[in-house]
Amino acid sequence: MLHLPLPNLHLALISACGAAPRRLLPLPARGKPLRRRCHARAKDAVMLRGAHGDAEGQEGADPQGRASQGEEKPGLPLCRKLCYAVGGIPYQMTGNALGFFLQIFLLDVVQPCFLVALQLEPFHASLILFLGRAWDAVTDPAVGFLVSKSPRRKFGKLIPWIACSTPFGVLCYCLLWSTLADGAPASLKFLWYLFTYNFFQICMTCYHVPYSSLTMFLGGTQRDRDSATAYRMGLEVFSTLLGSGIQGQMVGASHGRLTHSCSLGNGTLPNSSTPSLAGWLEGTRRAYVSASLVLGSIYCLSCLVLVFGVREQPGPLSPLGKAGLPFTRCLRMIVGHKPYTQLLCGFLFASLAFQVMQGIFAFFCTHAVGLAGKFQHLVLVMLVTASLSIPFWQWFLGRFGKKTAVTVGLALIIPALVAITQVSHNFLAFILLMMVAGCSMAVLYLLPWSMLPDAVDDFMLRNPSCLNLEALFYSFYVFFNKFAGGLAVGISTLGLHFAGYRAGDCTYNPSVTLALKLLMAPVPITLLLIAITLFCLHPINEERRKQMRTELEAMGRRQARRGSSEHHQG
């Protein structure tokens, strides 16, 4: 039994069970269950008044309010968290495989270096990668708006988008790693890879925008949502390990054999008629196709786990309906929300810094520090460390706050980048530096995505009439992440183009080595410093998060009480 002061209990019973005391008389007497139900409603009413600053009710409601928070909303089941986290594997797995290997695939594998007239130049590869990322980024807001306008169907509002886009995404991903005939002109190859890359990015957008928006519809409390995000990011980092590891182990040795052929040939490649080069090329192409089939199978399996393991749950400010505002007005309101725009800009610069480093890392290891054939092992070390660091950073953000965690985590990689450019031919030193970089990479995966739901909650609480815009918030977040990827790839490949990089050369002039070192340290460090400054200025701190949690819980109790009263009146 609950023990409330008699005046407070009287007022609570009036507000919870009816508008006046006489409303209690017609109800059938059912003994203790009825008294428990009335006392529970009284407890909710006192809690609601305490949240709005009623001093008289707050004294008697605090102990019971704290006890009721864990009872009203059961925690999110671990199985649902894991199924939701598994759904994030395809995006990061394919994205990191493309980020690490598509550039070197287009330059060194698509066309053999002895057919110079038919070879894709670095400028062509730069256009394919930049235009593909730019097109993908443009489609994100469009898909987000279409998702927000789509109705809720039998299987939900977001899950059908994920299920229908998966088969086409797998097909386009496998076609992207296939090669045309050697005699095909460079213009045809350019168009083939441009359109295949664009179609794959559209399919991935239709998968990832609804999936990332699903964070707001898992059910549970704010703490459960942060926990589910941590599980998701842990598996996404593992998926980068999976994708880069599978692809790296299958194709990395082939690139190492090409560099070994260069050393045996005294700085020149063997003649095209020799079976060594033809065999290397054919084996490398088969390795890329085999890797794409393996990753495509994992893509399908992850989608099945997500579709059958997660159900969409509406929340107090997320009713899973259709957005009623036009696109331009939604865009103005979202862009005008200061916490969201600051978080978006910080995420843009941090993502750009890491993706510049990621896009150039294979070239840097191969041509600048003498670790050809070993970069895939360094990538594995970095990703394993990032995956193992996720629980630590989840604890750190809970102990010291999200803003402190993102600042410390991003700053951690800066000395490692400086040291990387000063070390060469030292595999053990690179392993230690990659461990530091992986620990910092875990922060980029976890913190910005953990801070985004708070910005969405802040917007919904300040604009309660603008509902069902979650997909747009997440689509613009994905938009800037992909736009940063396009900029990163464009910056790196254009830097190599103007430095005089030529595919198939065994030796490079000092300008190429200098360009690689500039792209590996000074450029990412500058971008990281800008990102850290923006995250420090982010207005949503831990105090504001607690205030939002209190408001959302009070709103959820109001809705539950309103539904209960309508049920009794009916």
Side-chain angles (χ1 to χ4, degrees):
M1 290 293 292
L2 297 173
H3 299 283
L4 293 175
L6 186 57
N8 287 347
L9 177 60
H10 177 67
L11 294 174
L13 288 170
I14 292 175
S15 60
C17 298
R22 56 185 175 84
R23 292 290 302 275
L24 295 174
L25 297 177
L27 294 177
R30 300 183 62 180
K32 292 184 179 180
L34 176 61
R35 289 198 298 272
R36 285 199 198 100
R37 191 160 58 248
C38 291
H39 278 297
R41 292 176 186 167
K43 177 174 58 179
D44 291 344
V46 175
M47 274 294 295
L48 181 60
R49 285 164 39 220
H52 285 81
D54 191 336
E56 181 182 359
Q58 190 173 4
E59 293 179 1
D62 283 344
Q64 291 85 358
R66 285 192 296 269
S68 67
Q69 288 178 2
E71 299 174 0
E72 291 178 358
K73 285 189 177 182
L76 200 61
L78 178 61
C79 179
R80 191 183 304 173
K81 293 179 184 178
L82 292 176
C83 291
Y84 167 71
V86 168
I89 289 178
Y91 177 72
Q92 293 295 340
M93 178 183 66
T94 58
N96 277 270
L98 291 170
F100 278 114
F101 297 101
L102 183 58
Q103 187 170 241
I104 198 169
F105 172 77
L106 293 175
L107 292 176
D108 288 354
V109 181
V110 166
Q111 186 60 52
C113 55
F114 50 80
L115 294 177
V116 179
L118 302 177
Q119 190 176 7
L120 280 176
E121 295 291 335
F123 181 73
H124 295 151
S126 174
L127 278 180
I128 291 172
L129 296 170
F130 178 74
L131 292 177
R133 291 293 186 94
W135 168 252
D136 180 33
V138 169
T139 58
D140 283 321
V143 171
F145 183 70
L146 292 176
V147 171
S148 66
K149 284 289 187 180
S150 61
R152 185 181 182 184
R153 303 185 183 277
K154 179 180 179 181
F155 297 101
K157 176 180 178 179
L158 306 175
I159 294 296
W161 284 83
I162 296 171
C164 294
S165 64
T166 296
F168 300 101
V170 173
L171 177 63
C172 291
Y173 182 77
C174 294
L175 291 177
L176 184 60
W177 296 105
S178 61
T179 55
L180 300 180
D182 290 341
S187 59
L188 178 60
K189 293 181 178 182
F190 171 77
L191 293 176
W192 166 261
Y193 288 104
L194 178 64
F195 282 107
T196 306
Y197 190 44
N198 285 346
F199 281 125
F200 169 73
Q201 297 289 14
I202 291 175
C203 295
M204 185 51 68
T205 298
C206 293
Y207 179 98
H208 188 63
V209 169
Y211 169 75
S212 58
S213 305
L214 195 58
T215 308
M216 306 297 295
F217 305 105
L218 293 175
T221 62
Q222 189 184 76
R223 186 185 297 266
D224 293 325
R225 191 175 59 193
D226 289 341
S227 175
T229 301
Y231 278 101
R232 169 193 164 188
M233 292 307 156
L235 276 185
E236 286 195 2
V237 176
F238 172 75
S239 67
T240 63
L241 169 66
L242 192 67
S244 301
I246 291 174
Q247 187 117 348
Q249 295 300 320
M250 295 181 74
V251 307
S254 299
H255 290 287
R257 284 196 295 270
L258 177 64
T259 305
H260 182 64
S261 299
C262 285
S263 63
L264 294 178
N266 297 323
T268 59
L269 281 170
N271 188 273
S272 63
S273 60
T274 60
S276 60
L277 183 59
W280 168 84
L281 186 63
E282 186 65 26
T284 304
R285 289 176 174 177
R286 283 199 303 267
Y288 273 103
V289 172
S290 301
S292 69
L293 293 175
V294 173
L295 297 187
S297 301
I298 298 174
Y299 188 161
C300 290
L301 182 61
S302 302
C303 177
L304 291 175
V305 172
L306 174 66
V307 169
F308 291 104
V310 176
R311 282 191 175 184
E312 302 170 29
Q313 305 288 335
L317 294 174
S318 305
L320 274 174
K322 295 175 64 175
L325 299 177
F327 179 77
T328 54
R329 186 177 176 189
C330 293
L331 180 61
R332 285 197 302 267
M333 296 189 68
I334 290 175
V335 172
H337 188 56
K338 184 178 178 181
Y340 179 71
T341 53
Q342 284 191 354
L343 183 62
L344 201 62
C345 293
F347 183 53
L348 170 65
F349 283 101
S351 179
L352 182 58
F354 275 86
Q355 293 192 65
V356 166
M357 181 187 69
Q358 176 189 19
I360 208 67
F361 186 70
F363 284 94
F364 180 79
C365 291
T366 303
H367 304 304
V369 294
L371 294 176
K374 297 181 179 179
F375 68 87
Q376 68 270 19
H377 305 301
L378 296 174
V379 170
L380 287 178
V381 170
M382 180 172 60
L383 295 177
V384 167
T385 307
S387 181
L388 297 177
S389 301
I390 291 287
F392 167 76
W393 288 114
Q394 178 66 18
W395 168 84
F396 192 93
L397 70 88
R399 178 67 176 84
F400 300 101
K402 296 183 179 181
K403 291 176 63 174
T404 303
V406 73
T407 302
V408 173
L410 293 180
L412 190 63
I413 197 175
I414 293 178
L417 292 177
V418 174
I420 282 173
T421 58
Q422 306 301 318
V423 178
S424 62
H425 298 87
N426 193 331
F427 186 63
L428 180 60
F430 262 80
I431 288 178
L432 297 177
L433 294 174
M434 287 300 102
M435 292 176 66
V436 177
C439 189
S440 183
M441 179 182 285
V443 175
L444 179 68
Y445 277 96
L446 176 62
L447 267 301
W449 289 101
S450 181
M451 297 167 75
L452 177 58
D454 299 331
V456 177
D457 285 342
D458 184 76
F459 175 86
M460 296 299 181
L461 289 171
R462 297 178 188 274
N463 303 275
S465 61
C466 302
L467 301 179
N468 304 305
L469 300 181
E470 293 85 1
L472 272 177
F473 276 98
Y474 279 85
S475 67
F476 278 106
Y477 218 58
V478 177
F479 166 85
F480 276 94
N481 184 34
K482 293 178 179 178
F483 184 69
L487 284 178
V489 173
I491 290 171
S492 61
T493 51
L494 284 177
L496 292 176
H497 172 73
F498 290 116
Y501 174 82
R502 286 175 57 101
D505 287 348
C506 289
T507 58
Y508 297 95
N509 55 48
S511 62
V512 174
T513 304
L514 178 62
L516 289 171
K517 290 185 176 181
L518 290 175
L519 291 170
M520 196 65 193
V523 173
I525 288 173
T526 303
L527 296 170
L528 283 172
L529 292 176
I530 298 174
I532 290 172
T533 303
L534 291 171
F535 282 125
C536 289
L537 298 176
H538 187 55
I540 299 180
N541 52 20
E542 294 305 305
E543 182 180 353
R544 173 58 183 159
R545 290 185 69 240
K546 293 178 182 178
Q547 181 184 359
M548 290 191 300
R549 181 169 62 247
T550 302
E551 293 178 8
L552 288 172
E553 290 173 353
M555 187 174 297
R557 287 192 294 270
R558 276 202 303 272
Q559 291 183 357
R561 190 170 60 253
R562 187 183 303 117
S564 178
S565 64
E566 291 175 357
H567 174 73
H568 282 297
Q569 289 177 2

